[in-house]
Amino acid sequence: MDTGELEVEGRAIIDRNRFMTLATADTNGEPWASPVFYVADGYSTFYWISSPGATQVRNIAMRPRIGIVVFNSQQEPGSDEAVYMAATACELSGAELDRGLEIYLGAAPFSRGPEVFRPPGQYRAYRATVTEHFMLCPQASSRPCPVHGRISDHRVAVQL
């Protein structure tokens, strides 16, 4: 599988799935992983909803650089069906909030109106802007990868 085929598969993974795992850290570097329902706008912008008191939200306020993984949790072991991303996250406000809610509420099964996403509502809208996409190299095996020289599973950069 070449990089172009990986990129096609990466877009399909994002299109087929609805939950992503956010990897955040607090100011001490303590990690926190959170599965969230997402709506993608293309392949480099992801929206989700969280409570403003959630651990991942407090972490993002202190350290906006995050990691994201979108994967099929029902896949067979060894299928390697995942997209790994580095991103910057933020809470939305003003015109960005209006745009984010338009995208999110247009695609998400959310039964409440946009007022619950504005103070003093119980939720807030967030956006992750992806800076890098990665997938596992399909050449990985018990022998050195002919492209990267590694024996273990390893990620390769892709353009989605």
Side-chain angles (χ1 to χ4, degrees):
M1 183 179 294
D2 66 18
T3 303
E5 291 172 313
L6 275 179
E7 292 167 354
V8 169
E9 179 60 20
R11 289 188 287 274
I13 291 167
I14 291 170
D15 291 343
R16 284 193 303 262
N17 291 285
R18 292 293 161 241
F19 283 86
M20 63 184 183
T21 301
L22 299 177
T24 64
D26 66 15
T27 55
N28 295 322
E30 290 296 317
W32 188 259
S34 306
V36 297
F37 179 90
Y38 70 87
V39 172
D41 183 17
Y43 300 101
S44 293
T45 307
F46 295 81
Y47 295 93
W48 75 94
I49 303 301
S50 287
S51 165
T55 300
Q56 69 271 13
V57 168
R58 292 191 317 268
N59 288 349
I60 287 167
M62 295 179 285
R63 288 181 137 177
R65 294 285 298 150
I66 64 169
I68 299 171
V69 180
V70 174
F71 66 99
N72 173 5
S73 67
Q74 301 300 309
Q75 68 185 316
E76 292 297 318
S79 300
D80 303 332
E81 190 175 315
V83 178
Y84 306 85
M85 294 167 264
T88 302
C90 66
E91 181 179 339
L92 298 176
S93 63
E96 290 180 332
L97 174 60
D98 294 337
R99 175 72 178 135
L101 289 177
E102 177 183 326
I103 293 166
Y104 187 88
L105 295 175
F110 206 83
S111 61
R112 300 181 193 170
E115 67 280 354
V116 300
F117 304 107
R118 301 179 199 288
Q122 67 187 97
Y123 301 105
R124 299 293 181 274
Y126 299 87
R127 178 186 63 220
T129 304
V130 176
T131 55
E132 297 176 286
H133 295 87
F134 301 92
M135 295 181 70
L136 289 180
C137 175
Q139 302 295 322
S141 70
S142 59
R143 293 176 297 194
C145 168
V147 178
H148 305 107
R150 295 190 53 188
I151 294 175
S152 63
D153 289 347
H154 54 281
R155 299 176 190 177
V156 294
V158 293
Q159 299 291 320
L160 303 186

